[in-house]
Amino acid sequence: MRENLFRRFTFKDVLIMLAVAVVYFTAGKLGLKLAFVNASATAVWPPTGIAIASLLILGLRFWPAIFIAAFLVNITTAGSLPSTIGIAIGNTLEGLVGAYLVSKFANGRETFNSPPNIFRFALLAGVLSTMVSATIGVSSLVLNGLAQLSEFGSVWITWWLGDLGGALIVAPLLIILSNNISISWNFKKTIETFFLFFLLVFVSSMIFFSQEKAVSITSHPYLIFPILMWIGFRLGQKATIIATFLLAAIATFATLNLLGPFTGPIQNDSLLLLQIFMGVTTISALILSSAILEREIAQNELNLRQKEKAEFLALAAHQLRTPLATLRWNIETLLETPLNSPVKKKLDSMYSSNLRMIHLVKDLLSIQRMDADKVGSKPEKINPLVVIAEVYKEYGTFAQKKDVALNPVNKVGKIPLITFNIHEFKEIMVNLISNAIKYNKPGGSVDITITAKSRFITMDIIDTGVGIPPKEQGKIFSQFYRTENALIKDPQGTGLGLYLVKFFVERRKGKVWFESKENLGTTFHLEIPQS
């Protein structure tokens, strides 16, 4: 972060610095009320988190607000002018070092978006920068006779752990709340939020306000972990950091009143143990919530890429479909006129290539429907016999070329309407009928039988073609899979047709299966619910 630390301030900047200084000063005065080992050293020091967060969010040039507030906190509490200046310098450097290191090595304000950066934040802002303040501050106390050299270690540990708690608990709260992380609310989410926070308050109160001295179930603070994990999974990062801060407030209040699992004979030691617990708890909860956030971001990016792909496929397929259909109609018209053999052969080749392109476009459109699920959301009542008649008409010329008979549909009972998307049902019929023609033998036939039953209709599409080898029958509905004999018959296929058939049928609560004998033919069975 390259920034002019002494750039001229605007009036708005001055107001912002004043607000930061007031918040820092207030938190500092509250923190020093808990100073037990020395009037200037406390185990609870939220201003560290305020300083690091403010300089990360606003910029390093706002350091004067930290210096002035730190100076006023200490000069109005205890100590001499030289020691107060030394402490203020240490507190300011702590914020500057922490914010700079996090910006340079842990992605700045976005540090809580990934677990590795959270570890870096904990090390750089939590452990290293707080050592600066503790070392300069305690040294100032000793040099000015406000602490004994023999007390250096105990005062330093208290100072450092107090600052560490502020860096790990308060700074994440302010940074995450300042980031633009959207939260989608609905009635169920609101009820769940109230329930989880009620559960958090209830369990944490049960743990930290317990007066039992003997070991019991209520004396174990790790009981709060499942609730924090639940909040992280269900409510996201903002709710997680608010929950940990609420937990810290409850636990600190209880410990100050000599209650809870961290209470001991020395109150300062009790607060230090609590700070360690809360620091570990906060970082653990943030790592979990950031892993979930990372997954959500990756999923959103994937959804965006899939949407772009679907839009491209739809555009390309629709642009190609009309000219290909026109070309097919013209070729079929020419094939019906008397032609000499060389010209007819070329037109046959053009017709086959045109059909392959039409099938490819059809598959592209089907994939687009599957990805976007646009067409599949609009089922309607349709007559299956009408759709089959349309497909018969479209593939009549193709069947004649292949010398395959498309026999009339055999109807058993009164065939009812079915509820299906018409595009998807036609796609099913096109795939099954065109395959029955394509993989048939010269002189073969295609028969369709439709039977009306109580709650559904059954359809049997029967061909006398090459069949499906037994070893490949288990893979026939797999995406992009094609059997060996199909590759010999038509090396240009996509292998998507039967996969799409199964997908569309099962989406409408139907069933599809087949029976096949190699070199004798295949029968595909469909079971589709009635309207």
Side-chain angles (χ1 to χ4, degrees), residues 472-492:
E472 299 185 78
Q473 291 185 6
K475 306 174 186 177
I476 201 67
F477 290 112
S478 300
Q479 195 171 10
F480 302 115
Y481 184 78
R482 303 192 69 216
T483 62
E484 293 178 3
N485 52 4
L487 287 168
I488 295 171
K489 276 271 188 181
D490 179 23
Q492 304 297 325

Side-chain angles (χ1 to χ4, degrees), residues 49-123:
I50 296 170
I52 294 172
S54 299
L55 297 179
L56 264 178
I57 296 167
L58 302 173
L60 299 182
R61 69 191 187 91
F62 282 81
W63 64 267
I66 307 303
F67 179 82
I68 293 170
F71 177 83
L72 292 176
V73 167
N74 286 278
I75 199 68
T76 58
T77 301
S80 61
L81 181 63
S83 67
T84 299
I85 293 174
I87 292 171
I89 291 173
N91 288 346
T92 305
L93 285 176
E94 173 185 65
L96 285 169
V97 170
Y100 175 80
L101 292 177
V102 170
S103 296
K104 188 171 182 63
F105 300 108
N107 203 26
R109 290 177 61 177
E110 307 301 320
T111 185
F112 300 107
N113 288 354
S114 71
N117 283 332
I118 292 177
F119 281 114
R120 295 187 188 103
F121 175 88
L123 175 63

Side-chain angles (χ1 to χ4, degrees), residues 148-167:
Q148 300 297 318
L149 184 61
S150 60
E151 300 173 331
F152 190 97
S154 61
V155 176
W156 189 92
I157 285 292
T158 297
W159 195 307
W160 177 59
L161 287 177
D163 286 14
L164 177 68

Side-chain angles (χ1 to χ4, degrees), residues 15 19 45 67 78 96 104 129 150 163 187 193 202 210 213 245 282 288-289 316 357 370 378 394 445 459 466 499 518:
L15 291 179
W45 188 245
F67 179 82
L96 285 169
K104 188 171 182 63
S129 73
S150 60
D163 286 14
F187 179 74
T193 301
F202 176 77
S210 172
K213 300 301 181 181
F245 186 78
T282 302
L288 173 65
S289 63
M357 285 297 296
M370 290 171 61
K378 299 175 183 177
E394 289 180 15
S445 63
M459 302 179 62
V466 296
Y499 171 79
E518 198 167 4

Side-chain angles (χ1 to χ4, degrees), residues 199-213:
L199 191 62
L200 175 75
V201 172
F202 176 77
V203 174
S204 57
S205 299
M206 183 178 67
I207 293 170
F208 290 100
F209 285 95
S210 172
Q211 297 184 6
E212 297 182 23
K213 300 301 181 181

Side-chain angles (χ1 to χ4, degrees), residues 49 55 112 233 238 271 288 321 334 338 434 451 460 530:
L55 297 179
F112 300 107
F233 270 115
K238 280 189 175 181
L271 289 173
L288 173 65
R321 186 166 59 176
L334 288 171
S434 64
T451 305
D460 303 317
Q530 294 184 20

Side-chain angles (χ1 to χ4, degrees), residues 141-401:
L141 293 177
V142 171
L143 291 174
N144 287 276
L146 299 173
Q148 300 297 318
L149 184 61
S150 60
E151 300 173 331
F152 190 97
S154 61
V155 176
W156 189 92
I157 285 292
T158 297
W159 195 307
W160 177 59
L161 287 177
D163 286 14
L164 177 68
L168 298 185
I169 299 169
V170 178
L173 175 74
L174 299 177
I175 293 168
I176 290 172
L177 291 182
S178 72
N179 289 339
N180 185 24
I181 302 175
S182 60
I183 302 176
S184 58
W185 291 98
N186 53 47
F187 179 74
K188 290 178 66 176
K189 181 63 71 69
T190 302
I191 295 298
E192 184 178 19
T193 301
F194 276 112
F195 170 73
L196 286 175
F197 273 85
F198 170 79
L199 191 62
L200 175 75
V201 172
F202 176 77
V203 174
S204 57
S205 299
M206 183 178 67
I207 293 170
F208 290 100
F209 285 95
S210 172
Q211 297 184 6
E212 297 182 23
K213 300 301 181 181
V215 175
S216 68
I217 190 170
T218 59
S219 66
H220 296 293
Y222 62 76
L223 289 175
I224 208 71
F225 275 47
I227 301 173
L228 291 176
M229 291 173 64
W230 191 353
I231 292 173
F233 270 115
R234 296 292 301 156
L235 305 181
Q237 200 172 57
K238 280 189 175 181
T240 301
I241 193 61
I242 292 171
T244 56
F245 186 78
L246 179 61
L247 173 64
I250 293 172
T252 302
F253 182 79
T255 303
L256 287 173
N257 285 277
L258 305 179
L259 297 170
F262 296 105
T263 301
I266 302 175
Q267 197 164 31
N268 188 69
D269 291 350
S270 301
L271 289 173
L272 293 179
L273 290 173
L274 176 62
Q275 290 290 73
I276 294 171
F277 169 77
M278 283 308 311
V280 172
T281 300
T282 302
I283 293 301
S284 301
L286 285 175
I287 288 171
L288 173 65
S289 63
S290 72
I292 297 167
L293 179 63
E294 261 192 332
R295 185 188 65 182
E296 290 176 351
I297 292 172
Q299 186 62 50
N300 290 337
E301 290 179 354
L302 178 61
N303 291 340
L304 179 62
R305 299 293 176 266
Q306 288 179 334
K307 182 181 178 183
E308 291 172 350
K309 180 193 75 173
E311 289 173 351
F312 170 76
L313 289 175
L315 178 62
H318 282 294
Q319 292 290 335
L320 287 169
R321 186 166 59 176
T322 301
L324 286 172
T326 304
L327 181 60
R328 174 183 177 179
W329 181 81
N330 286 321
I331 294 173
E332 287 179 347
T333 302
L334 288 171
L335 285 172
E336 291 174 358
T337 62
L339 298 168
N340 60 48
S341 182
V343 173
K344 188 175 186 303
K345 187 175 181 181
K346 288 182 179 179
L347 283 174
D348 284 340
S349 176
M350 290 173 61
Y351 184 72
S352 297
S353 298
N354 177 260
L355 279 183
R356 281 197 295 269
M357 285 297 296
I358 288 173
H359 275 284
L360 178 60
V361 169
K362 170 180 64 64
D363 288 342
L364 288 175
L365 283 171
S366 297
I367 291 171
Q368 185 266 336
R369 291 187 194 116
M370 290 171 61
D371 286 344
D373 200 25
K374 294 175 182 175
V375 178
S377 62
K378 299 175 183 177
E380 56 190 283
K381 292 183 178 181
I382 61 173
N383 187 335
L385 297 172
V386 172
V387 177
I388 294 172
E390 290 177 3
V391 177
Y392 265 28
K393 183 178 179 181
E394 289 180 15
Y395 283 86
T397 302
F398 182 52
Q400 289 176 9
K401 280 175 51 37

